[in-house]
Amino acid sequence: MGNLYWVYLVLTFCFGLVLNTLSQENSDSDVYIVTLKQAPLSLSYQGFNNGSTSVRLNKLYKPRSHQRSSSYISRVHDSLLKKALKGEKYMKLYSYHYLINGFSVLITPQQADMLSRRQEVANVVLDFPVRTATTYTPQFLGLLKGVWPRDGGYETAGEGIVIGFIDTGIDPTHSSFADDVSDHKYPIPDHFSGICEVTRDFPSGSCNRKLVGARHFAASAITRGVFNSSQDYASPLDGDGHGTHTASVSAGNHGIPVMVAGNYFGNASGMAPRSHIAVYKALYKSFGGFAADVVAAIDQAAQDGVDIISLSITPNRRPPGIATFFNPIDMALLSAVKSGIFVVQAAGNTGPSPKSMSSFSPWIFTVGAASHDRVYSNSIVLGNNETIPGVGLAPGTCSNEMYTLISAVHALSNETTLANDMYAGECQDPSNFDREFIQGNLLICSYSIRFVLGLSTVKQALQTAKNLSAAGVVFCMDPFVIGFQLNPTPLNMPGIIIPSTNDSKILLQYYNSSLERDGFTKKIVRFGAVASISGGLEANYSVSAPKVMYYSARGPDPEDGFLDNADIMKPNLVAPGNSIWAAWSTLGMESVEFQGESFAMMSGTSMAAPHIAGLAALIKQKFPHFSPAAIASALSTTASLYDKNGSPIMAQRAYTNPDLNQSPATPFDMGNGFVNASSALDPGLIFESTYEDYMSFLCGINGSIPIVFNHTGQNCQLYNSTVTAADLNLPSITIARLNRSQTVGRSLTNIAGNESYRVDWTAPFGVSMNVTPAHFFIAMGEKQVLNITFNAMTNDSTASFGRIGLVGNGGHNLNIPLSVIVKLY
């Protein structure tokens, strides 16, 4: 291992040296992704997909012949660059050969133009940046009592399925990824051919039967000089925490104790705890990531034979061009779907405004974030009997005992003044304070914008309080921090953070009114305010849930840079994404409050997407023949429209005071609804779509014919270019512009027993509609076509929504959301 490591170091050093030299000599150089017209290996070996059942590519080639072919394609790329650039300097970063035939290269705009004029070249695209977008959720989703026991329990849940994570890497030492936690040994997935990189910080033995593959991709980042090897790690090791978290949400081992700040919060489990994990690190703490590296990761994951790809990442900006779908990442994922890989992506954390969606294409399963019903509540009781709510995973003060409150700015040492340290009130430096004032009392610290920016930390304030022997800490929100949403934060001593500026003002008013001052000097002679902290270690399950979180990106799906609406419903559905406990890298830097911990509580659509990746593994395990579209259909049509109390799911509408600004969720908030794990494993009917359907849709976009050819190497003459997005056989219907009347069809396939169905529907406002047939009988394996006609009844540009419900006499119930935006009567 040592010799390999030094070879790796030398190669990395030389690579970086060459890149830096190139960048200095050509200051206008940038990374471009170049696609060639010749088909990639996946198309060469697979041919065309026949029917709806996807065949795994890795079973159709012999690895040695494939390796020779990929080596040959790489040499072809090198030869093309030499011919096209005629001795000029350049640096090839990757050869893509499996899902797309192309490469990424560091060149000048002039060289990019030279390449684009070559006969062999289909497309030249400038690289772009991307960014990153559980103890209880298995129980909340019904896995413990409904899903796992049905098929052998957690000991077999997801076994044999490989989930590929394109993220910030993984901490291989975490017990969530060990392969020896059960007497039931992990099998070796024979369809997976990936490898495990070996470096000094990711040594031999890091992978096992659970963590079956690990690589990293950073060439584009290195060319830009943004890669920081001291914290980003040139290996699959997770220096951020995000990738470790998402992997464990999907496939972390069952029954792993969650200990944070010395407190126990239950046992963790992934959705599919027996699934295998393959890691493709393409995102980093310092800078996020770049499309060239992400495309290389996707290409490698598909070549290795993963069953599912989970991306908790989104582009930093909306892709330019005639349609958002034509970007290198989405097009690589289209090829992955053709290969039979189910692709899950986070919707993005750019909500709650309309059209804030960051995941666009119909072949990608887009997941928004919702709450679950577990919350950790904390509060402080003041001496005037007023109770103020707050957050903080902290123990309380001794019961039935009140403690004196003392503000940090009133406990300064003789050597400290606010004039020479204006941030002393943030409690970051114990030397600023007089220990005699603080010992045994509750220290009030200011939570300013510096905490939001990471310049001050809760952890350091706690250390200050401990050094001064405080009984606890109370953080009051600075009035200039407006609308900031706090996750529950671990506190290793009695403490509370008051997130409301109004509540903070109430506490400080009580504190100031209780001070006794000398009538002559005005110095404080007595601190009269007292309080006790209730503590926030006990979970509360009484809240209404789920609800769509304010940050979850919303539809409608933007079709292009002009924000025209696509006839595609996004998100596909919502899943738990708020306050999710999951594994954390001990080196993780994303959340400073969880540094050094082995678990963290995080929120975002990044946490929602891996829930779906894990549930997809359970579906794939039960139905090995299911295509990606079939898995998407099973998840979508069975989703719930109601919260745990039977009321319509609500959606938060504002960043500030989100619980006071909410209304019933629409399909543009939650797609088909909130995931129902149990029903998804028995959907009854499925909507099937193929690669050819997606290609027909792309070819039907106005002006897309040359662009489709540039990205895929395929001629639109092979496809029915009259197909629109509304015609795709999706388990939802969106019509962006209804001009008087439009009829769309949907084909359903019965994967259950013989059954009779009744068709109900609710038309969107301003629209009349009809569905035929209204009743049908369908035998196992048969298909049934529904024809849905929409008629505009008014002129209106406000989106309205409806639903089609299919009610079977065998217990299967499916819901199909409808949305019509512009209506022209």
Side-chain angles (χ1 to χ4, degrees):
M1 190 274 287
N3 290 336
L4 285 174
Y5 174 72
W6 284 111
V7 170
Y8 171 81
L9 272 185
V10 171
L11 290 175
T12 302
F13 174 77
C14 293
F15 183 57
L17 191 62
V18 172
L19 291 175
N20 288 335
T21 302
L22 280 171
S23 298
Q24 290 169 6
E25 292 181 359
N26 301 289
S27 58
D28 60 344
S29 294
D30 213 327
V31 177
Y32 290 82
I33 301 172
V34 181
T35 309
L36 305 188
K37 294 176 181 177
Q38 183 182 355
L41 284 179
S42 60
L43 294 182
S44 302
Y45 282 103
Q46 186 186 25
F48 290 95
N49 201 342
N50 184 17
S52 63
T53 302
S54 297
V55 181
R56 293 315 312 270
L57 298 178
N58 52 295
K59 294 185 178 180
L60 297 180
Y61 68 82
K62 295 180 180 179
R64 290 181 181 175
S65 64
H66 167 72
Q67 289 167 5
R68 287 197 296 269
S69 299
S70 62
S71 176
Y72 168 74
I73 289 178
S74 183
R75 292 196 300 273
V76 170
H77 296 166
D78 293 337
S79 176
L80 170 62
L81 283 165
K82 289 179 182 177
K83 290 178 183 177
L85 302 184
K86 300 175 181 177
E88 294 183 8
K89 291 184 178 181
Y90 63 89
M91 171 58 71
K92 187 183 77 170
L93 309 182
Y94 298 108
S95 273
Y96 311 126
H97 46 75
Y98 194 71
L99 295 177
I100 60 174
N101 180 8
F103 51 85
S104 54
V105 60
L106 177 67
I107 49 177
T108 65
Q110 294 76 22
Q111 291 173 316
D113 182 63
M114 293 166 63
L115 275 173
S116 68
R117 288 187 269 110
R118 293 287 300 190
Q119 183 178 358
E120 308 96 315
V121 173
N123 205 28
V124 178
V125 178
L126 185 65
D127 193 14
F128 57 88
V130 296
R131 60 189 172 196
T132 55
T134 101
T135 56
Y136 177 64
T137 47
Q139 182 178 341
F140 185 67
L141 294 173
L143 301 186
L144 275 66
K145 295 182 179 180
V147 176
W148 290 343
R150 190 185 304 166
D151 296 299
Y154 68 83
E155 285 278 11
T156 60
E159 194 164 88
I161 306 299
V162 181
I163 306 176
F165 296 90
I166 298 173
D167 215 297
T168 64
I170 197 165
D171 181 351
T173 66
H174 201 287
S175 53
S176 290
F177 313 122
D179 65 354
D180 58 357
V181 296
S182 168
D183 293 334
H184 179 59
K185 284 192 173 183
Y186 275 95
I188 298 175
D190 57 4
H191 66 282
F192 183 76
S193 60
I195 66 166
C196 193
E197 284 183 18
V198 175
T199 69
R200 173 169 288 179
D201 47 41
F202 207 85
S204 177
S206 293
C207 290
N208 53 38
R209 289 172 177 248
K210 172 75 171 178
L211 175 57
V212 293
R215 298 174 182 252
H216 88 287
F217 303 84
S220 182
I222 292 172
T223 67
R224 302 164 188 275
V226 298
F227 190 87
N228 183 339
S229 59
S230 65
Q231 65 179 24
D232 292 321
Y233 301 102
S235 78
L237 183 65
D238 185 6
D240 179 273
H242 190 272
T244 299
H245 199 277
T246 57
S248 71
V249 168
S250 281
N253 285 325
H254 178 77
I256 306 301
V258 178
M259 295 291 298
V260 174
N263 300 303
Y264 172 65
F265 292 96
N267 292 334
S269 175
M271 301 297 103
R274 293 291 292 187
S275 288
H276 306 276
I277 293 169
V279 170
Y280 302 87
K281 178 179 173 180
L283 285 99
Y284 299 83
K285 171 60 181 175
S286 300
F287 54 86
F290 296 96
D293 295 326
V294 172
V295 171
I298 295 169
D299 194 63
Q300 188 63 58
Q303 178 182 327
D304 290 347
V306 302
D307 299 288
I308 296 163
I309 289 177
S310 179
L311 298 105
S312 288
I313 61 175
T314 58
N316 280 3
R317 56 181 173 82
R318 190 169 286 111
I322 67 167
T324 52
F325 323 113
F326 294 114
N327 68 81
I329 293 177
D330 283 34
M331 297 310 293
L333 292 174
L334 175 59
S335 293
V337 167
K338 182 179 181 181
S339 303
I341 301 169
F342 181 69
V343 176
V344 188
Q345 186 177 24
N349 299 331
T350 48
S353 59
K355 217 174 296 188
S356 51
M357 187 58 52
S358 297
S359 175
F360 315 106
S361 298
W363 52 86
I364 298 172
F365 198 81
T366 304
V367 187
S371 65
H372 52 87
D373 66 350
R374 183 199 62 208
V375 296
Y376 293 90
S377 300
N378 200 345
S379 62
I380 182 169
V381 181
L382 305 181
N384 60 3
N385 292 322
E386 184 150 13
T387 299
I388 295 177
V391 298
L393 301 170
T397 52
C398 294
S399 58
N400 301 319
E401 189 171 344
M402 303 295 277
Y403 294 81
T404 299
L405 288 164
I406 182 164
S407 172
V409 298
H410 293 152
L412 299 177
S413 64
N414 292 331
E415 293 77 22
T416 305
T417 65
L418 290 178
N420 57 35
D421 188 349
M422 61 185 298
Y423 305 117
E426 297 173 9
C427 307
Q428 299 297 292
D429 185 355
S431 67
N432 286 335
F433 302 100
D434 188 330
R435 180 189 182 93
E436 290 186 11
F437 280 110
I438 295 172
Q439 185 173 3
N441 296 325
L442 295 179
L443 177 63
I444 300 175
C445 303
S446 174
Y447 195 105
S448 76
I449 191 67
R450 289 168 53 83
F451 284 81
V452 179
L453 300 174
L455 301 175
S456 296
T457 69
V458 170
K459 186 168 284 189
Q460 184 55 46
L462 293 173
Q463 191 57 53
T464 295
K466 278 193 168 185
N467 290 345
L468 299 170
S469 301
V473 184
V474 180
F475 293 92
C476 285
M477 193 63 62
D478 188 286
F480 293 103
V481 182
I482 300 172
F484 181 64
Q485 301 296 321
L486 276 170
N487 276 326
T489 302
L491 310 177
N492 57 8
M493 66 184 301
I496 186 172
I497 305 173
I498 301 173
S500 164
T501 54
N502 287 335
D503 288 341
S504 297
K505 189 182 298 183
I506 291 171
L507 183 144
L508 292 175
Q509 285 174 345
Y510 163 69
Y511 171 80
N512 288 322
S513 67
S514 302
L515 294 173
E516 293 184 16
R517 296 180 181 271
D518 183 275
F520 180 72
T521 65
K522 303 300 181 184
K523 288 185 178 180
I524 299 172
V525 295
R526 180 175 175 271
F527 297 94
V530 294
S532 65
I533 297 172
S534 302
L537 298 178
E538 295 297 323
N540 182 331
Y541 300 93
S542 63
V543 299
S544 177
K547 67 177 64 174
V548 182
M549 299 308 298
Y550 63 90
Y551 51 78
S552 188
R554 311 297 167 92
D557 188 15
E559 184 175 59
D560 52 39
F562 299 105
L563 296 182
D564 292 326
N565 299 312
D567 290 339
I568 296 167
M569 186 167 290
K570 293 289 181 177
N572 292 82
L573 50 62
V574 293
N578 202 63
S579 299
I580 304 299
W581 279 122
W584 193 248
S585 172
T586 54
L587 299 172
M589 301 286 289
E590 180 176 325
S591 174
V592 67
E593 313 307 345
F594 288 99
Q595 280 185 14
E597 302 287 357
S598 58
F599 281 87
M601 179 181 285
M602 303 296 291
S603 296
T605 57
S606 284
M607 285 66 247
H611 276 87
I612 297 302
L615 297 177
L618 301 181
I619 297 173
K620 185 73 174 177
Q621 182 186 27
K622 182 175 181 179
F623 301 104
H625 65 283
F626 264 23
S627 69
I631 296 174
S633 174
L635 288 162
S636 298
T637 61
T638 58
S640 175
L641 304 176
Y642 303 98
D643 66 21
K644 72 173 191 177
N645 298 322
S647 300
I649 292 173
M650 303 295 281
Q652 296 177 335
R653 301 290 178 196
Y655 182 83
T656 305
N657 298 320
D659 282 332
L660 300 179
N661 294 278
Q662 58 184 22
S663 60
T666 74
F668 287 164
D669 302 316
M670 65 176 182
N672 281 64
F674 183 79
V675 64
N676 183 326
S678 182
S679 295
L681 287 164
D682 183 22
L685 306 175
I686 60 168
F687 293 75
E688 189 61 84
S689 295
T690 66
Y691 174 79
E692 285 72 26
D693 295 330
Y694 300 131
M695 286 295 293
S696 295
F697 149 67
L698 291 174
C699 288
I701 297 173
N702 187 32
S704 69
I705 292 176
I707 298 172
V708 170
F709 182 79
N710 288 346
H711 277 286
T712 67
Q714 297 188 40
N715 195 316
C716 279
Q717 291 179 354
L718 300 172
Y719 300 97
N720 178 10
S721 58
T722 64
V723 172
T724 68
D727 297 318
L728 286 172
N729 199 44
L730 303 174
S732 62
I733 299 173
T734 292
I735 299 177
R737 187 179 181 85
L738 177 60
N739 192 351
R740 295 193 176 182
S741 181
Q742 185 171 342
T743 298
V744 298
R746 290 294 185 267
S747 176
L748 303 110
T749 303
N750 187 8
I751 63 162
N754 299 350
E755 196 163 359
S756 294
Y757 282 86
R758 182 184 82 247
V759 183
D760 300 324
W761 62 87
T762 302
F765 179 78
V767 176
S768 68
M769 59 177 289
N770 187 56
V771 183
T772 56
H775 298 84
F776 61 88
F777 170 82
I778 185 168
M780 181 188 300
E782 287 190 351
K783 295 180 183 295
Q784 174 66 52
V785 174
L786 298 180
N787 290 302
I788 306 103
T789 300
F790 299 88
N791 297 292
M793 304 297 290
T794 183
N795 292 312
D796 189 9
S797 59
T798 302
S800 54
F801 308 96
R803 294 207 175 259
I804 296 174
L806 303 178
V807 182
N809 64 358
H812 296 108
N813 297 293
L814 292 79
N815 95 82
I816 305 165
L818 314 172
S819 64
V820 179
I821 305 176
V822 176
K823 295 165 278 285
L824 301 174
Y825 179 56

